[in-house]
């Protein structure tokens, strides 16, 4: 059964074989032993900085015979749930077949912000083994603390050169600092020189989050969008891509809905009406070029956006800069209804082909 389930759809005699190739650039992986290996679990949980108001615990899922790891920020406010049994290869491959996904690019869900080097190495080794058992249907992104120390750079080199990983994964911010901060320059120098693609995963909340804590979806969905949109804007306006022109960042959740603000924040050439003061001068004339060349966006669950919003994202951000992704296993409808959602968009077949696979192939070098 495993031999059949690991075959790409094009090799199996079923109607799905006629559908377009689909690469999911946003699938999540954690060790399936996380809930049974106490030492591993404690090591990962101990990376979480309780001194900064982030709290973690494991407890049963109500009314179900499984456990979950809950992360709160601040204490008493739930932002992340990891459920037992969602990260085993048999169920993930079966779900990919059901959803029409040919290949998956795996990352760690959210934990990038906190992991130390030792835990990162254990996860990279586990992910490499996981990929090796998928018969070519999985690929992976390296996780590593992004401070550019020699041992950290060596770990990324190991993942790319020895383990065959196709990029690195980062959080959109670390604590209170976003990726344009000078603290990340040593890491980005290495990534820029090697032309390694970077996937930027969202964090649960933006830096200043007090006004959105009280309401669940305002906190858990909109909060992620604020954090991602802020990160994209800072990367764009800070001169980061002037310093590192080969840096390519792919942000999850469509960059926090950045398409809705792109024309506002990156204005088109000035009009000729003669304003007394240019109130929205960006100080840079090539922001549009950077938005095209350096910034990419994965959908992170097509059904949650809505048809018109996705069509708008394609029009504004460009069909060459959007990658398909469904944030598996966060919600089943995002995953199983994702491909039909994109297929139903009023965009060209060429655009759909790019979003489904070609952009990911180009971005990750698949």
């Amino acid at each position: 059964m495993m031999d059949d389930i690991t075959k790409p759809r094009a090799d199996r005699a079923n109607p799905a074989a006629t559908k377009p190739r689909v690469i999911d650039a946003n699938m999540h992986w954690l060790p399936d032993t996380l809930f049974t290996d106490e030492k591993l679990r404690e090591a990962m949980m101990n990376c979480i900085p309780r001194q900064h108001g982030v709290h973690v615990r494991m407890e049963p899922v109500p009314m179900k015979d499984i456990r979950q790891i809950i992360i709160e920020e601040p204490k008493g406010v739930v932002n992340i749930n990891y459920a037992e049994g969602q990260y085993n290869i048999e169920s993930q491959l079966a779900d990919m077949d059901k959803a029409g996904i040919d290949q998956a690019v795996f990352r760690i869900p959210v934990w990038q912000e906190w992991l130390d080097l030792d835990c990162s190495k254990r996860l990279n080794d586990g992910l490499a083994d996981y990929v090796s058992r998928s018969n070519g249907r999985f690929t992976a992104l390296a996780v590593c603390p992004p401070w550019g120390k020699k041992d950290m750079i060596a770990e990324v080199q190991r993942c790319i050169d020895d383990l065959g990983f196709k990029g690195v994964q980062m959080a959109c911010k670390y604590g209170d600092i976003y990726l344009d901060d000078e603290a990340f320059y040593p890491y980005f120098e290495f990534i820029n020189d090697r032309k390694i693609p970077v996937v930027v995963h969202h964090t649960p909340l933006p830096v200043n989050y007090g006004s959105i804590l009280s309401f669940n979806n305002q906190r858990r969905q909109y909060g992620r969008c604020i954090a991602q949109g802020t990160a994209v804007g800072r990367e764009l306006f800070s001169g980061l891509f002037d310093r590192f022109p080969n840096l390519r960042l792919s942000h999850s959740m469509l960059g926090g809905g950045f398409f809705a603000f792109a024309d506002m924040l990156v204005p088109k050439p000035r009009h000729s009406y003669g304003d007394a003061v240019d109130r929205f001068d960006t100080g840079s004339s090539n922001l549009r070029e950077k938005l095209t060349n350096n910034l990419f966006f994965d959908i992170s669950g097509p059904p949650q956006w809505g048809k018109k919003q996705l069509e708008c994202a394609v029009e504004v951000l460009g069909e060459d800069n959007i990658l398909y992704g469904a944030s598996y296993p966060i919600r089943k409808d995002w995953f199983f209804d994702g491909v039909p959602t994109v297929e139903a968009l009023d965009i060209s077949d060429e655009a759909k082909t790019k979003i489904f696979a070609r952009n990911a192939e180009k971005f990750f070098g698949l």
Side-chain angles (χ1 to χ4, degrees):
M1 182 175 180
M2 177 58 73
D3 289 340
D4 179 67
I5 204 171
T6 57
K7 291 179 181 178
R9 283 181 299 143
D11 296 338
R12 298 195 301 274
N14 61 57
T18 63
K19 292 184 178 181
R21 172 170 165 78
V22 180
I23 299 173
D24 193 317
N26 185 347
M27 283 186 64
H28 297 162
W29 176 88
L30 284 171
D32 57 4
T33 57
L34 182 61
F35 288 87
T36 57
D37 185 337
E38 184 176 353
K39 289 184 178 180
L40 173 64
R41 184 172 64 252
E42 286 300 313
M44 291 182 63
M45 290 170 68
N46 286 338
C47 292
I48 294 176
R50 292 166 177 82
Q51 68 272 27
H52 294 156
V54 188
H55 298 266
V56 59
R57 68 181 187 275
M58 185 173 70
E59 64 180 35
V61 176
M63 310 297 293
K64 295 183 179 180
D65 190 25
I66 58 174
R67 294 166 293 178
Q68 62 180 332
I69 292 174
I70 292 176
I71 297 177
E72 300 176 334
E73 183 184 1
K75 189 172 179 60
V77 181
V78 176
N79 284 303
I80 302 171
N81 312 71
Y82 299 115
E84 189 173 12
Q86 291 190 303
Y87 303 100
N88 71 77
I89 193 168
E90 290 83 5
S91 64
Q92 288 197 330
L93 285 166
D95 285 347
M96 285 171 63
D97 286 343
K98 182 178 178 180
I101 307 299
D102 294 284
Q103 191 171 4
V105 181
F106 278 94
R107 66 182 74 170
I108 308 300
V110 178
W111 229 305
Q112 301 95 338
E113 183 181 359
W114 308 305
L115 289 171
D116 62 21
L117 182 58
D118 288 340
C119 280
S120 295
K121 289 179 177 180
R122 292 182 66 174
L123 290 177
N124 289 330
D125 286 340
L127 190 47
D129 175 70
Y130 199 69
V131 169
S132 72
R133 293 186 282 124
S134 72
N135 197 26
R137 296 190 67 187
F138 297 167
T139 190
L141 305 169
V143 62
C144 187
W147 312 117
K149 296 181 179 180
K150 288 183 178 180
D151 52 356
M152 297 173 182
I153 295 297
E155 174 60 12
V156 177
Q157 288 178 318
R158 182 180 76 94
C159 289
I160 300 296
D161 297 337
D162 299 339
L163 302 183
F165 287 11
K166 297 300 183 181
V168 300
Q169 52 183 301
M170 299 180 71
C172 74
K173 65 176 180 61
Y174 289 76
D176 290 346
I177 59 173
Y178 285 89
L179 300 188
D180 60 293
D181 194 277
E182 291 182 3
F184 303 105
Y185 283 6
Y187 192 52
F188 282 150
E189 281 187 17
F190 164 72
I191 289 172
N192 181 74
D193 290 345
R194 288 287 305 265
K195 298 183 179 180
I196 297 171
V198 182
V199 162
V200 184
H201 200 69
H202 49 262
T203 57
L205 291 169
V207 172
N208 301 307
Y209 52 74
S211 61
I212 62 171
L213 283 180
S214 299
F215 305 102
N216 192 53
N217 283 7
Q218 180 92 341
R219 178 179 73 253
R220 299 189 67 154
Q221 290 285 70
Y222 186 57
R224 286 164 164 80
C225 288
I226 296 173
Q228 276 282 30
T230 301
V232 173
R234 291 184 65 100
E235 293 152 15
L236 195 57
F237 293 119
S238 65
L240 182 67
F241 301 122
D242 293 322
R243 188 180 183 96
F244 304 111
N246 296 325
L247 192 61
R248 293 175 299 137
L249 307 179
S250 176
H251 282 264
S252 61
M253 295 191 77
L254 287 173
F258 193 78
F259 63 90
F261 308 101
D263 284 347
M264 181 188 298
L265 297 177
V266 189
K268 295 176 181 178
R270 283 188 289 176
H271 59 73
S272 58
Y273 294 117
D275 290 324
V277 178
D278 187 353
R279 292 175 172 85
F280 304 107
D281 181 24
T282 63
S284 177
S285 60
N286 65 340
L287 291 179
R288 290 264 162 186
E289 182 180 338
K290 295 173 184 175
L291 189 57
T292 299
N293 295 337
N294 301 98
L295 286 165
F296 298 80
F297 307 88
D298 85 60
I299 297 174
S300 302
Q304 69 173 319
W305 289 103
K307 183 174 184 292
K308 293 299 182 183
Q309 286 85 345
L310 286 175
E311 290 168 353
C312 177
V314 175
E315 180 178 351
V316 173
L317 299 175
E319 62 189 46
D320 295 315
N321 289 65
I322 296 177
L323 284 66
Y324 183 86
S327 290
Y328 178 97
I330 303 303
R331 281 186 56 136
K332 291 184 178 180
D333 62 322
W334 294 0
F335 194 63
F336 295 132
D337 296 338
V339 171
T341 296
V342 174
E343 287 178 331
L345 298 181
D346 291 326
I347 59 176
S348 70
D349 289 340
E350 176 72 7
K352 293 175 185 177
T353 299
K354 290 178 179 180
I355 292 168
F356 276 137
R358 195 179 302 164
N359 291 342
E361 290 170 345
K362 184 176 179 180
F363 186 80
F364 295 113
L366 298 177

